[in-house]
Amino acid sequence: MKFFTKEVKIALVAIVGLVVLFYGLNFLKGLSLFSSQNIYYIKFNNINGLSQSSPIYANGFRVGVVKDIIFDYSNSENVKVVVDIDKQLDMPGGTSAEIVSDMLGNVQVNLLIGNDRAHLIEPGAVIEGRTNDGTIGQVKNMIPAIEKMLPKLDSIMTSLNVLLADPAVAQSLHNVETVTANLTTSTRELNRLMANLNRDVPAMTQRANILMDNANGVAENLAKIDVEQTMQKVNNTLDNVRLFTEQLNSNDGSLGLLMRDKSLYNNLNSTMQSADSLLTDLREHPKRYVHFSLFGRKSK
């Protein structure tokens, strides 16, 4: 009698299919087919949607996977998560874990590696864990503040609607448009002025350079003047003027006597009058003073 009958072959194929299906599902879940990892337990108060086959990371590198979750029905705040960690990763003392959720709802476990390498955590030990809500947690924390702000925002929006419905706002906007047009015109004129300045500045600079050259020439000529000799001449002139003034004020000189002696003035005035009378008589009776005769002087 043959052992590998048709029924036995069907049974063997079914068993192999179940084994392949089991390991295939574990492989798809990310579970190791052959144990090359260490098992640790992480205790959480809330696993925040963590499930089997969730990844475990250390410094952003995947080092393990969640193998199982054990819930303590007698203590709802005590949840143990069984994790498989790569054997190559040492677990220093002080290592902890945290559950992180992203905006898409994906959940993962991050290992926070400790610094106490003198005391390593042995496989099978319990690691303390906590929940880090991440961005979602920050948004949750902002919700109370946002709820407080909503009434104020509603009041602000109402005030804005009332303000925008005011005709004065439309007029102000029209005025702003006019001011903008004026500013545009002023900017155009300013650009034109700057263009003219850019064209005229070189000529002005050249003229300024010529003036500076002339000023330098004048300064050189002034530097060549003998200031001491010039001042000596000025002092001499002032001394002569002072001497002339003293002579005018003195009674010794002719000019001083002429300016101060009244009798001399009267005599000069009388002399001038006599000379004037003489000239007048000479003009009226010239024969009294001049006589010409071809035959000699006639006796009177």
Side-chain angles (χ1 to χ4, degrees):
M1 183 176 181
K2 293 183 178 181
F3 178 75
F4 291 101
T5 61
K6 185 178 180 179
E7 290 78 5
V8 173
K9 292 180 180 180
I10 294 174
L12 290 175
V13 171
I15 293 172
V16 172
L18 291 174
V19 172
V20 172
L21 179 63
F22 173 76
Y23 283 104
L25 290 176
N26 287 336
F27 177 77
L28 293 175
K29 291 180 180 180
L31 300 176
S32 178
L33 300 179
F34 304 98
S35 180
S36 62
Q37 299 176 335
N38 292 328
I39 295 177
Y40 294 89
Y41 297 91
I42 304 176
K43 185 174 70 173
F44 293 100
N45 293 330
N46 185 352
I47 61 174
N48 198 22
L50 188 68
S51 62
Q52 290 185 4
S53 72
S54 294
I56 299 174
Y57 293 90
N59 296 331
F61 182 77
R62 181 167 177 168
V63 295
V65 67
V66 175
K67 185 176 183 180
D68 194 8
I69 297 176
I70 303 173
F71 183 74
D72 188 356
Y73 288 93
S74 62
N75 184 6
S76 60
E77 295 183 355
N78 188 6
V79 181
K80 286 185 179 180
V81 177
V82 183
V83 297
D84 284 341
I85 304 298
D86 194 339
K87 287 183 178 181
Q88 297 181 1
L89 178 65
D90 294 330
M91 304 289 282
T95 299
S96 61
E98 63 178 8
I99 297 176
V100 180
S101 300
D102 58 17
M103 295 294 294
L104 299 178
N106 299 319
V107 183
Q108 67 183 38
V109 178
N110 289 336
L111 291 178
L112 306 177
I113 305 300
N115 298 323
D116 189 5
R117 294 190 172 274
H119 302 84
L120 299 179
I121 300 175
E122 298 296 332
V126 178
I127 300 174
E128 293 294 329
R130 63 178 183 271
T131 301
N132 184 358
D133 293 332
T135 305
I136 296 177
Q138 295 177 0
V139 173
K140 290 181 180 178
N141 295 331
M142 292 173 61
I143 289 176
I146 294 174
E147 290 178 348
K148 293 180 180 180
M149 292 174 60
L150 286 177
K152 297 181 180 179
L153 291 175
D154 184 65
S155 177
I156 292 172
M157 293 301 297
T158 303
S159 300
L160 285 176
N161 290 331
V162 174
L163 180 62
L164 293 176
D166 192 349
V169 175
Q171 183 64 31
S172 298
L173 293 176
H174 178 71
N175 294 335
V176 169
E177 183 178 0
T178 303
V179 171
T180 304
N182 293 333
L183 287 176
T184 302
T185 304
S186 299
T187 303
R188 188 183 303 111
E189 294 296 330
L190 182 60
N191 292 332
R192 187 179 303 169
L193 177 61
M194 292 301 296
N196 294 332
L197 286 176
N198 291 331
R199 186 180 63 253
D200 295 338
V201 162
M204 296 174 62
T205 304
Q206 186 177 3
R207 294 176 183 175
N209 292 332
I210 294 174
L211 291 176
M212 290 298 298
D213 293 338
N214 293 335
N216 292 331
V218 172
E220 292 177 358
N221 294 331
L222 290 176
K224 294 178 181 179
I225 296 176
D226 191 351
V227 178
E228 184 177 357
Q229 184 177 0
T230 303
M231 292 302 298
Q232 182 65 33
K233 293 180 179 179
V234 171
N235 293 330
N236 293 335
T237 302
L238 292 175
D239 291 338
N240 293 332
V241 172
R242 180 176 56 79
L243 180 60
F244 178 71
T245 304
E246 291 178 355
Q247 291 177 354
L248 289 177
N249 294 328
S250 174
N251 293 328
D252 297 333
S254 299
L255 291 176
L257 291 175
L258 181 62
M259 294 178 64
R260 297 176 179 276
D261 192 350
K262 189 175 181 179
S263 61
L264 179 59
Y265 170 77
N266 294 329
N267 293 332
L268 287 175
N269 191 22
S270 177
T271 302
M272 291 299 296
Q273 290 178 356
S274 299
D276 182 64
S277 299
L278 178 61
L279 290 175
T280 301
D281 185 65
L282 179 61
R283 186 173 55 255
E284 293 177 351
H285 306 92
K287 294 181 177 182
R288 292 182 181 179
Y289 304 95
V290 179
H291 178 73
F292 294 95
S293 177
L294 295 176
F295 302 100
R297 182 176 181 182
K298 184 180 181 179
S299 62
K300 293 182 180 180

